[in-house]
Amino acid sequence: MAELYDRYAPVLLPIALRIVRGSADAEDVLHDAFVSLGERARHYSAERGSVIAWLVILVRNLSIDRVRRRGRRRALDDANAALAPPGAHLGEPGAGRDPRVETRAGPAALSSLTPIHRATLEMAFFEGLTYPEIAEREGISLGTVKSRASRAIASLGEALQREGMGIEDLSSSS
């Protein structure tokens, strides 16, 4: 693994950096790529291309995923801040839990989430727990938490679209 890293990291880091536009995020992407190689190696096929081409695509995809998550997280953070009751500190457990939130966000959108997805979002965005903290609390894998959160955000966005809103509209709702 060290040999692969030494050989390809100098090529892969600039690719990640160009996409995520931050050295810390680019290093995290590169780290995630190399950590996941053991699991992903079975997907490599020499007939489809070289190792470096496969690694470039892997780093590219992980970088794009990070940028997308950052955008969703930013939109939800903005929405959460706008929906928090006056004087609430968003890092506190239960902060932002206000019965008026459901009215402002569109009752159908929030109620359309499955209980598991809604609970995941509440823990992450209202209680301020990180994904690893949620995984520990719930006794599930980190990947499961990430999948649930991603699906919950997508479902919330779809439900808001059906109501003629978008996640970005939550900050302007009253």
Side-chain angles (χ1 to χ4, degrees):
M1 189 66 68
E3 185 178 325
L4 278 175
Y5 186 86
D6 291 342
R7 185 173 184 178
Y8 295 118
V11 174
L12 299 171
L13 186 60
I15 293 167
L17 186 57
R18 183 173 182 159
I19 296 169
V20 299
R21 304 220 184 263
S23 59
D25 279 345
E27 291 170 3
D28 286 346
V29 165
L30 198 60
H31 175 263
D32 292 347
F34 279 96
V35 166
S36 70
L37 280 182
E39 299 168 6
R40 296 176 189 256
R42 61 187 165 87
H43 298 291
Y44 171 72
S45 171
E47 297 86 27
R48 294 177 63 193
S50 65
V51 172
I52 187 62
W54 180 69
L55 289 172
V56 165
I57 290 170
L58 174 62
V59 167
R60 176 193 170 272
N61 291 344
L62 290 174
S63 297
I64 290 170
D65 289 344
R66 182 170 289 263
V67 169
R68 286 179 181 158
R69 279 194 311 272
R70 186 187 320 143
R72 279 182 274 187
R73 188 177 307 124
R74 199 173 289 136
L76 284 171
D77 286 347
D78 292 345
N80 192 25
L83 296 174
H89 298 285
L90 297 177
E92 295 176 1
R97 287 186 182 220
D98 179 352
R100 296 172 292 174
V101 168
E102 291 191 14
T103 303
R104 287 187 233 163
L110 291 171
S111 64
S112 71
L113 296 178
T114 66
I116 289 173
H117 290 151
R118 185 175 179 145
T120 301
L121 284 185
E122 286 177 347
M123 286 184 273
F125 298 103
F126 293 134
E127 296 181 36
L129 296 178
T130 64
Y131 290 166
E133 290 169 338
I134 295 170
E136 184 177 323
R137 178 194 276 188
E138 297 296 306
I140 57 178
S141 74
L142 179 59
T144 299
V145 172
K146 289 178 179 181
S147 295
R148 286 180 181 176
S150 177
R151 187 65 208 141
I153 291 167
S155 296
L156 183 60
E158 291 165 7
L160 287 169
Q161 271 189 326
R162 286 191 299 272
E163 291 188 25
M165 298 173 66
I167 289 179
E168 64 279 357
D169 294 326
L170 292 177
S171 61
S172 61
S173 298
S174 47

